[in-house]
Amino acid sequence: MNIEGKKQIWNAYQKEIAENDYFYARSCIRQNFFPASEVAFLRILREELHKNIIDDPNHTTCTGIGYHSDIVPFDTIQTVVARQFSLMTQAGLEHMAISCVTSFGIYTEILDLWHHFPEQLEKIREYLYKATKREFNLPKNIAHTSDVIYKFRNEIAEKAKYKLVNKQTGEPLNVVEHIGCHYAKMFPTKGVGGAEFPQVLVGMIESWGGNVVDYPERRHCCGFGFRNYLVQANRGYSISNTKKKLESMKPYKPDFIVANCPGCAMFMDKWQYTLAEMEGVTYDENGYGIPVLTYEEMAGLVLGYNPWDLGLQMHQVQCESLLDKMGIEYDPKAKYLDKNGNQMPLPEKPSCLKV
Amino acid sequence: MIDVLIIGGGIAGIETACSLQDLGYETIIVEKEKTIGGHLNDWDTLFPTHRSASEVLAHYTDETRKRALTIYLNTYVISVKKQDDGTFEVHTSRDVVFRSKAVVVASGYKLFNAERKEEYGYKIYDNVLTSADLEVKLKDLKGEFKTPTDKVPERIAFIHCVGSRDEKSGNHYCSKLCCVTAVKQAIHLKQLCPKAEIFCCYMDLRMYGPGFEEMYREAQEKYHIQFIRGRLSEVGENSNGTLQLKVEDTLAARPCKIQVDMLVLMVGMESAKSTELFAQSCGLKCAPNRFIQPLDHHIGSNLTNVEGLFTAGTSIGPMSVFDTVNHAKATAFAIRDYFINTAR
């Protein structure tokens, strides 16, 4: 492996990421499965980096899952995206920070389409106006929220309370980074580091002391693939893709996986439980599975946030092994307490995967 | 004023100069490198006979010396300006300005930069080479053949059409020589490493020249090289430095994974950057593939849209050594015709 070769590619794919004043576009999946990640993102931007970011409750789904499942027509999704831009315009902002990789791909695709076919943009302006009496400006900059964290990775490193280092051995943690397909595979120039060797998560991991694992199936799909999962009869494709990745990374003994896509984090986490139930296999040495984090959760741990405030108890693969390796102090008894300190119902234990 | 200035001291330029001298014309060659011979300097053997490239190079070096050809080495052509009287003024990286009655563009080609196919991992994974790298490795070989990570290879793959017939790379055309080069190199490696399994992943095998098809048959029947009709989608590196290839086998209609110790990318040919630059300076028309556009593909492939400006060799497109030599000889005769006609 020649890191200089990767650096050359990275140099060719450095995108402009706005410095401040973002309009936040939330993710449907993340709000359900990793709800604290988006809260952590806003906290990092506002409290650590002192940035202005508007989280507008009028913002809606981008309808991306419906679009990729062929149930939302293209004109409809364009009009929905136009409405998000009108909210941004109304807020007096020009920069979008998009939480979901699917949405990021859609926004990028639609802006590219409007660039090449201005008549389509005019048609959508008309549709939106007829439906809502809203008008909009195009954003001057769109970034995925992992781009924003990447941009400020060194500032976060300066404030870090923990490093991605095994506290007992002093060795860097082995981290598998997984990039959502729609982040850069459609438009390589829109992703930090391009499509083949993206730098966006690598940059964070390296800045915070970790070691990136490059394994043969690194670029393979996480298994979501929309129709692979959404059509129940196809779910065998979904889980077999995830299994392929997990088997490929296992020999490298990763301490955790980090993903920048809602679907990827969800499927690589939850399918570990399913594979354990189906086949009795786990992909770590001790039977606990490989923890899967979002990049905000990773940043939050580095910044010393309470793991339970970050929502790590919501994961299928439990993260205590990672917390112990990093030397993070946490209260095991507080794991399932709600924000008022009341005990929440405890989840059932899996039959194979240790928790 | 000299009769003909030749841009490029590869085999096309030298052959043109030799033939023109035989016809009684005075020539000079301007070569940007420090030595003559062009890409032939980096090649080990030539298809289809496996003859040493250095033999052909030695022939042209001897001819150059015997004929005392005038060659300016380390000299770049900056611009070629046609004058009102039909002659040419050639500005170079040297202070001197050359004047000639005719100019031959024999500036050759450049190899496709395999780093542009990022998914193949060239310059990232240690055991990914280009066909040109392999030639250098074979040329300098002392002792046993080993991979860049110092292993006697047990499995090797060749990937055809890297940067050729590839819309994503902006090269729609066929480089035409990579197929036979892969067959030649595969046989050579099989001779050096008899126990190795060798795979060639191809789109079509274009064995257009004499002896090529026979060599391809020999590769299969005698050397048991396996030809898989399909493209490589991506390369990953295993923890032991071996490579995992994801390939589509279009004849078996299935995707397959191949583990290899070494991967050779058959890089295609592109128009030399310098050709494009000085073509602009003199209004020389280039084809959509960026090589120089011949005036007539069938009966005037040495002529260009600028009268008195000729081409020789791969400045007009991919060519083998023997095609290049023949084209260069024909260029000399085309120039003679031009001088005869303009003298009338």
Side-chain angles (χ1 to χ4, degrees), chain A residues 175-220:
Chain A
V175 188
V176 159
E177 44 91 38
H178 180 83
I179 306 294
C181 294
H182 292 203
Y183 172 70
K185 282 183 184 169
M186 294 189 292
F187 295 92
T189 55
K190 303 296 181 193
V192 178
E196 300 297 336
F197 298 93
Q199 190 191 5
V200 62
L201 294 178
V202 172
M204 293 180 213
I205 295 163
E206 290 182 344
S207 292
W208 303 338
N211 175 49
V212 175
V213 171
D214 193 335
Y215 61 108
E217 297 292 357
R218 180 179 54 81
R219 279 174 279 196
H220 200 85

CSV table of all heavy atoms in Angstrom, one decimal, chain A residues 175-220:
chain,number,residue,atom,x,y,z
A,175,VAL,N,-9.7,1.1,12.5
A,175,VAL,CA,-11.1,1.6,12.1
A,175,VAL,C,-11.4,1.3,10.7
A,175,VAL,O,-10.6,1.6,9.8
A,175,VAL,CB,-11.2,3.1,12.4
A,175,VAL,CG1,-12.6,3.6,12.2
A,175,VAL,CG2,-10.6,3.5,13.7
A,176,VAL,N,-12.5,0.7,10.5
A,176,VAL,CA,-13.0,0.5,9.1
A,176,VAL,C,-13.9,1.7,8.8
A,176,VAL,O,-14.8,2.0,9.5
A,176,VAL,CB,-13.9,-0.8,9.0
A,176,VAL,CG1,-14.8,-0.8,7.8
A,176,VAL,CG2,-13.0,-2.1,9.0
A,177,GLU,N,-13.6,2.3,7.7
A,177,GLU,CA,-14.4,3.5,7.3
A,177,GLU,C,-15.3,3.0,6.1
A,177,GLU,O,-14.8,2.3,5.2
A,177,GLU,CB,-13.6,4.7,6.9
A,177,GLU,CG,-12.4,4.5,6.1
A,177,GLU,CD,-12.6,4.6,4.6
A,177,GLU,OE1,-13.3,5.5,4.2
A,177,GLU,OE2,-12.0,3.8,3.9
A,178,HIS,N,-16.5,3.4,6.2
A,178,HIS,CA,-17.4,3.0,5.0
A,178,HIS,C,-18.2,4.2,4.6
A,178,HIS,O,-18.8,4.9,5.3
A,178,HIS,CB,-18.4,1.9,5.4
A,178,HIS,CG,-19.3,1.5,4.3
A,178,HIS,ND1,-18.9,0.6,3.3
A,178,HIS,CD2,-20.5,2.0,4.0
A,178,HIS,CE1,-19.9,0.5,2.4
A,178,HIS,NE2,-20.9,1.3,2.8
A,179,ILE,N,-18.1,4.4,3.3
A,179,ILE,CA,-18.7,5.6,2.6
A,179,ILE,C,-19.9,5.2,1.9
A,179,ILE,O,-19.9,4.2,1.1
A,179,ILE,CB,-17.7,6.3,1.6
A,179,ILE,CG1,-16.3,6.5,2.3
A,179,ILE,CG2,-18.3,7.5,1.0
A,179,ILE,CD1,-16.4,7.6,3.4
A,180,GLY,N,-21.0,5.9,2.1
A,180,GLY,CA,-22.2,5.6,1.3
A,180,GLY,C,-22.0,5.8,-0.2
A,180,GLY,O,-21.4,6.7,-0.6
A,181,CYS,N,-22.7,4.9,-0.9
A,181,CYS,CA,-22.5,4.9,-2.4
A,181,CYS,C,-22.8,6.3,-3.0
A,181,CYS,O,-22.2,6.8,-3.9
A,181,CYS,CB,-23.3,3.8,-3.0
A,181,CYS,SG,-22.8,2.2,-2.6
A,182,HIS,N,-23.9,6.9,-2.5
A,182,HIS,CA,-24.4,8.1,-3.1
A,182,HIS,C,-23.6,9.3,-2.7
A,182,HIS,O,-23.9,10.4,-3.2
A,182,HIS,CB,-25.9,8.3,-2.8
A,182,HIS,CG,-26.8,7.2,-3.5
A,182,HIS,ND1,-28.1,7.4,-3.8
A,182,HIS,CD2,-26.5,6.0,-4.0
A,182,HIS,CE1,-28.6,6.3,-4.4
A,182,HIS,NE2,-27.6,5.5,-4.5
A,183,TYR,N,-22.6,9.1,-1.9
A,183,TYR,CA,-21.8,10.3,-1.5
A,183,TYR,C,-21.0,10.7,-2.6
A,183,TYR,O,-20.9,11.9,-2.9
A,183,TYR,CB,-20.9,9.9,-0.3
A,183,TYR,CG,-19.9,11.0,0.1
A,183,TYR,CD1,-20.3,12.2,0.7
A,183,TYR,CD2,-18.6,10.7,-0.1
A,183,TYR,CE1,-19.4,13.1,1.0
A,183,TYR,CE2,-17.6,11.7,0.2
A,183,TYR,CZ,-18.1,12.9,0.8
A,183,TYR,OH,-17.1,13.8,1.1
A,184,ALA,N,-20.3,9.8,-3.3
A,184,ALA,CA,-19.3,10.2,-4.4
A,184,ALA,C,-19.3,9.3,-5.6
A,184,ALA,O,-18.7,9.7,-6.6
A,184,ALA,CB,-17.9,10.4,-3.8
A,185,LYS,N,-20.0,8.2,-5.5
A,185,LYS,CA,-19.9,7.3,-6.7
A,185,LYS,C,-20.6,7.9,-7.9
A,185,LYS,O,-20.2,7.6,-9.0
A,185,LYS,CB,-20.4,5.9,-6.3
A,185,LYS,CG,-19.4,5.1,-5.5
A,185,LYS,CD,-19.9,3.7,-5.2
A,185,LYS,CE,-18.9,3.0,-4.3
A,185,LYS,NZ,-19.4,1.7,-3.8
A,186,MET,N,-21.7,8.7,-7.7
A,186,MET,CA,-22.3,9.3,-8.8
A,186,MET,C,-21.6,10.5,-9.3
A,186,MET,O,-21.4,10.7,-10.5
A,186,MET,CB,-23.8,9.7,-8.4
A,186,MET,CG,-24.7,8.5,-8.1
A,186,MET,SD,-26.4,9.1,-7.9
A,186,MET,CE,-26.3,10.0,-6.4
A,187,PHE,N,-21.1,11.3,-8.4
A,187,PHE,CA,-20.3,12.5,-8.8
A,187,PHE,C,-19.0,12.6,-7.9
A,187,PHE,O,-19.0,13.2,-6.9
A,187,PHE,CB,-21.2,13.8,-8.4
A,187,PHE,CG,-22.4,13.9,-9.3
A,187,PHE,CD1,-23.6,13.4,-8.8
A,187,PHE,CD2,-22.4,14.5,-10.5
A,187,PHE,CE1,-24.8,13.5,-9.6
A,187,PHE,CE2,-23.6,14.6,-11.3
A,187,PHE,CZ,-24.8,14.1,-10.8
A,188,PRO,N,-18.0,11.9,-8.5
A,188,PRO,CA,-16.7,11.8,-7.7
A,188,PRO,C,-16.2,13.2,-7.2
A,188,PRO,O,-15.6,13.3,-6.2
A,188,PRO,CB,-15.8,11.1,-8.6
A,188,PRO,CG,-16.7,10.3,-9.5
A,188,PRO,CD,-17.9,11.2,-9.7
A,189,THR,N,-16.4,14.2,-8.0
A,189,THR,CA,-15.8,15.5,-7.7
A,189,THR,C,-16.6,16.2,-6.5
A,189,THR,O,-16.1,17.1,-5.9
A,189,THR,CB,-15.9,16.5,-8.8
A,189,THR,OG1,-17.2,16.6,-9.3
A,189,THR,CG2,-15.0,16.0,-10.0
A,190,LYS,N,-17.7,15.6,-6.1
A,190,LYS,CA,-18.5,16.2,-5.1
A,190,LYS,C,-18.1,15.6,-3.7
A,190,LYS,O,-18.7,15.9,-2.7
A,190,LYS,CB,-20.0,16.1,-5.3
A,190,LYS,CG,-20.5,16.7,-6.6
A,190,LYS,CD,-20.3,18.2,-6.6
A,190,LYS,CE,-20.8,18.8,-8.0
A,190,LYS,NZ,-20.3,20.1,-8.1
A,191,GLY,N,-17.3,14.6,-3.7
A,191,GLY,CA,-16.9,13.9,-2.4
A,191,GLY,C,-15.4,14.3,-2.1
A,191,GLY,O,-14.6,14.3,-3.0
A,192,VAL,N,-15.1,14.5,-0.9
A,192,VAL,CA,-13.8,14.7,-0.5
A,192,VAL,C,-12.9,13.5,-0.7
A,192,VAL,O,-13.2,12.4,-0.1
A,192,VAL,CB,-13.7,15.1,1.0
A,192,VAL,CG1,-12.2,15.4,1.4
A,192,VAL,CG2,-14.5,16.4,1.3
A,193,GLY,N,-12.0,13.6,-1.6
A,193,GLY,CA,-11.1,12.4,-1.9
A,193,GLY,C,-11.6,11.6,-3.1
A,193,GLY,O,-11.0,10.6,-3.4
A,194,GLY,N,-12.8,11.9,-3.6
A,194,GLY,CA,-13.3,11.2,-4.8
A,194,GLY,C,-14.0,9.9,-4.4
A,194,GLY,O,-14.4,9.8,-3.2
A,195,ALA,N,-14.3,9.1,-5.4
A,195,ALA,CA,-15.2,7.9,-5.2
A,195,ALA,C,-14.4,6.7,-4.8
A,195,ALA,O,-15.0,5.8,-4.1
A,195,ALA,CB,-16.0,7.7,-6.5
A,196,GLU,N,-13.2,6.5,-5.3
A,196,GLU,CA,-12.5,5.2,-5.1
A,196,GLU,C,-11.8,5.1,-3.8
A,196,GLU,O,-11.8,4.1,-3.1
A,196,GLU,CB,-11.6,5.0,-6.2
A,196,GLU,CG,-12.2,4.9,-7.6
A,196,GLU,CD,-13.2,3.8,-7.8
A,196,GLU,OE1,-13.1,2.8,-7.0
A,196,GLU,OE2,-14.1,3.9,-8.6
A,197,PHE,N,-11.2,6.2,-3.3
A,197,PHE,CA,-10.5,6.3,-2.1
A,197,PHE,C,-10.9,7.5,-1.3
A,197,PHE,O,-10.1,8.4,-1.1
A,197,PHE,CB,-9.0,6.3,-2.3
A,197,PHE,CG,-8.5,5.0,-3.0
A,197,PHE,CD1,-8.4,5.0,-4.4
A,197,PHE,CD2,-8.2,3.9,-2.3
A,197,PHE,CE1,-7.9,3.9,-5.1
A,197,PHE,CE2,-7.7,2.8,-3.0
A,197,PHE,CZ,-7.6,2.8,-4.4
A,198,PRO,N,-12.2,7.6,-0.9
A,198,PRO,CA,-12.6,8.8,-0.2
A,198,PRO,C,-11.8,9.1,1.0
A,198,PRO,O,-11.4,8.2,1.7
A,198,PRO,CB,-14.1,8.5,0.1
A,198,PRO,CG,-14.5,7.3,-0.7
A,198,PRO,CD,-13.2,6.5,-0.9
A,199,GLN,N,-11.6,10.4,1.2
A,199,GLN,CA,-10.8,10.9,2.3
A,199,GLN,C,-11.6,11.4,3.5
A,199,GLN,O,-11.1,11.6,4.6
A,199,GLN,CB,-9.9,12.0,1.8
A,199,GLN,CG,-8.8,12.4,2.8
A,199,GLN,CD,-8.1,13.7,2.4
A,199,GLN,OE1,-8.5,14.3,1.4
A,199,GLN,NE2,-7.1,14.1,3.1
A,200,VAL,N,-12.9,11.5,3.3
A,200,VAL,CA,-13.7,12.3,4.2
A,200,VAL,C,-13.7,11.6,5.6
A,200,VAL,O,-13.4,12.4,6.6
A,200,VAL,CB,-15.2,12.5,3.7
A,200,VAL,CG1,-15.9,11.2,3.5
A,200,VAL,CG2,-16.0,13.4,4.6
A,201,LEU,N,-13.8,10.3,5.7
A,201,LEU,CA,-13.8,9.7,7.1
A,201,LEU,C,-12.3,9.4,7.5
A,201,LEU,O,-11.9,9.5,8.6
A,201,LEU,CB,-14.6,8.4,7.1
A,201,LEU,CG,-16.1,8.6,6.9
A,201,LEU,CD1,-16.9,7.3,6.9
A,201,LEU,CD2,-16.7,9.5,8.0
A,202,VAL,N,-11.5,9.1,6.4
A,202,VAL,CA,-10.1,8.8,6.7
A,202,VAL,C,-9.4,10.0,7.4
A,202,VAL,O,-8.7,9.9,8.4
A,202,VAL,CB,-9.3,8.5,5.4
A,202,VAL,CG1,-7.8,8.4,5.6
A,202,VAL,CG2,-9.8,7.2,4.8
A,203,GLY,N,-9.8,11.2,6.9
A,203,GLY,CA,-9.2,12.4,7.5
A,203,GLY,C,-9.6,12.6,8.9
A,203,GLY,O,-8.7,13.0,9.8
A,204,MET,N,-10.8,12.3,9.3
A,204,MET,CA,-11.3,12.4,10.7
A,204,MET,C,-10.5,11.3,11.5
A,204,MET,O,-9.9,11.7,12.6
A,204,MET,CB,-12.8,12.1,10.8
A,204,MET,CG,-13.7,13.1,10.2
A,204,MET,SD,-15.4,12.5,10.5
A,204,MET,CE,-16.1,13.2,9.0
A,205,ILE,N,-10.5,10.1,11.0
A,205,ILE,CA,-9.9,9.0,11.8
A,205,ILE,C,-8.4,9.3,12.1
A,205,ILE,O,-7.9,9.2,13.2
A,205,ILE,CB,-10.0,7.7,11.1
A,205,ILE,CG1,-11.5,7.3,11.0
A,205,ILE,CG2,-9.2,6.6,11.7
A,205,ILE,CD1,-11.8,6.2,9.9
A,206,GLU,N,-7.7,9.8,11.0
A,206,GLU,CA,-6.3,10.0,11.2
A,206,GLU,C,-6.0,11.2,12.1
A,206,GLU,O,-5.1,11.2,12.9
A,206,GLU,CB,-5.6,10.2,9.8
A,206,GLU,CG,-5.6,8.9,9.1
A,206,GLU,CD,-4.9,8.9,7.7
A,206,GLU,OE1,-4.7,10.0,7.2
A,206,GLU,OE2,-4.5,7.9,7.2
A,207,SER,N,-6.9,12.2,12.0
A,207,SER,CA,-6.7,13.4,12.8
A,207,SER,C,-6.9,13.1,14.3
A,207,SER,O,-6.4,13.8,15.2
A,207,SER,CB,-7.7,14.5,12.4
A,207,SER,OG,-7.4,15.0,11.2
A,208,TRP,N,-7.7,12.1,14.6
A,208,TRP,CA,-8.1,11.8,15.9
A,208,TRP,C,-7.3,10.6,16.5
A,208,TRP,O,-7.7,10.0,17.5
A,208,TRP,CB,-9.6,11.6,16.1
A,208,TRP,CG,-10.4,12.8,15.6
A,208,TRP,CD1,-9.9,14.1,15.5
A,208,TRP,CD2,-11.7,12.9,15.1
A,208,TRP,NE1,-10.9,15.0,14.9
A,208,TRP,CE2,-12.0,14.2,14.7
A,208,TRP,CE3,-12.7,11.9,14.9
A,208,TRP,CZ2,-13.2,14.6,14.2
A,208,TRP,CZ3,-14.0,12.3,14.4
A,208,TRP,CH2,-14.2,13.7,14.1
A,209,GLY,N,-6.3,10.2,15.7
A,209,GLY,CA,-5.4,9.2,16.3
A,209,GLY,C,-5.6,7.7,15.8
A,209,GLY,O,-4.8,6.9,16.2
A,210,GLY,N,-6.6,7.5,15.0
A,210,GLY,CA,-6.9,6.1,14.6
A,210,GLY,C,-6.1,5.6,13.4
A,210,GLY,O,-5.4,6.4,12.7
A,211,ASN,N,-6.2,4.3,13.1
A,211,ASN,CA,-5.5,3.7,12.0
A,211,ASN,C,-6.6,3.2,11.0
A,211,ASN,O,-7.5,2.4,11.5
A,211,ASN,CB,-4.6,2.6,12.5
A,211,ASN,CG,-4.0,1.8,11.3
A,211,ASN,OD1,-3.5,2.4,10.4
A,211,ASN,ND2,-4.2,0.5,11.3
A,212,VAL,N,-6.6,3.6,9.8
A,212,VAL,CA,-7.6,3.2,8.8
A,212,VAL,C,-7.3,1.8,8.3
A,212,VAL,O,-6.2,1.5,7.8
A,212,VAL,CB,-7.7,4.2,7.7
A,212,VAL,CG1,-8.7,3.7,6.6
A,212,VAL,CG2,-8.1,5.6,8.2
A,213,VAL,N,-8.3,0.9,8.3
A,213,VAL,CA,-8.2,-0.4,7.7
A,213,VAL,C,-8.6,-0.4,6.3
A,213,VAL,O,-9.7,0.0,6.0
A,213,VAL,CB,-9.1,-1.4,8.5
A,213,VAL,CG1,-9.1,-2.8,7.8
A,213,VAL,CG2,-8.6,-1.6,9.9
A,214,ASP,N,-7.7,-0.8,5.4
A,214,ASP,CA,-8.1,-0.9,4.0
A,214,ASP,C,-8.2,-2.4,3.6
A,214,ASP,O,-7.2,-3.1,3.6
A,214,ASP,CB,-7.0,-0.3,3.1
A,214,ASP,CG,-7.5,-0.1,1.7
A,214,ASP,OD1,-8.4,-0.8,1.2
A,214,ASP,OD2,-6.9,0.8,1.0
A,215,TYR,N,-9.4,-2.9,3.5
A,215,TYR,CA,-9.6,-4.3,3.3
A,215,TYR,C,-10.2,-4.5,1.9
A,215,TYR,O,-10.8,-3.6,1.3
A,215,TYR,CB,-10.5,-4.9,4.4
A,215,TYR,CG,-11.9,-4.3,4.5
A,215,TYR,CD1,-13.0,-5.0,4.1
A,215,TYR,CD2,-12.1,-2.9,4.9
A,215,TYR,CE1,-14.3,-4.4,4.1
A,215,TYR,CE2,-13.3,-2.4,4.9
A,215,TYR,CZ,-14.4,-3.1,4.5
A,215,TYR,OH,-15.6,-2.5,4.6
A,216,PRO,N,-10.1,-5.8,1.4
A,216,PRO,CA,-10.5,-6.0,0.0
A,216,PRO,C,-11.9,-5.5,-0.4
A,216,PRO,O,-12.1,-5.0,-1.5
A,216,PRO,CB,-10.3,-7.5,-0.2
A,216,PRO,CG,-9.4,-7.9,0.8
A,216,PRO,CD,-9.6,-7.0,2.0
A,217,GLU,N,-12.9,-5.7,0.5
A,217,GLU,CA,-14.3,-5.3,0.1
A,217,GLU,C,-14.6,-3.9,0.6
A,217,GLU,O,-15.8,-3.6,0.8
A,217,GLU,CB,-15.2,-6.4,0.6
A,217,GLU,CG,-15.1,-7.7,0.1
A,217,GLU,CD,-15.4,-7.8,-1.4
A,217,GLU,OE1,-15.9,-6.9,-2.0
A,217,GLU,OE2,-15.2,-8.9,-2.0
A,218,ARG,N,-13.6,-3.1,0.8
A,218,ARG,CA,-13.9,-1.7,1.3
A,218,ARG,C,-14.9,-1.0,0.5
A,218,ARG,O,-15.8,-0.3,1.1
A,218,ARG,CB,-12.6,-0.9,1.4
A,218,ARG,CG,-12.7,0.5,1.9
A,218,ARG,CD,-11.4,1.2,1.9
A,218,ARG,NE,-10.7,1.1,0.6
A,218,ARG,CZ,-11.0,2.0,-0.4
A,218,ARG,NH1,-11.9,2.9,-0.2
A,218,ARG,NH2,-10.4,1.9,-1.5
A,219,ARG,N,-14.9,-1.1,-0.8
A,219,ARG,CA,-15.8,-0.3,-1.6
A,219,ARG,C,-17.1,-1.0,-1.8
A,219,ARG,O,-18.0,-0.4,-2.5
A,219,ARG,CB,-15.1,-0.1,-3.0
A,219,ARG,CG,-14.1,1.0,-3.0
A,219,ARG,CD,-13.4,1.1,-4.3
A,219,ARG,NE,-12.3,0.2,-4.4
A,219,ARG,CZ,-11.3,0.2,-5.2
A,219,ARG,NH1,-11.3,1.2,-6.1
A,219,ARG,NH2,-10.4,-0.7,-5.2
A,220,HIS,N,-17.3,-2.2,-1.4
A,220,HIS,CA,-18.5,-2.9,-1.6
A,220,HIS,C,-19.7,-2.2,-0.9
A,220,HIS,O,-19.5,-1.7,0.2
A,220,HIS,CB,-18.4,-4.4,-1.2
A,220,HIS,CG,-19.4,-5.3,-1.8
A,220,HIS,ND1,-19.2,-5.8,-3.0
A,220,HIS,CD2,-20.6,-5.7,-1.4
A,220,HIS,CE1,-20.2,-6.6,-3.3
A,220,HIS,NE2,-21.1,-6.5,-2.3
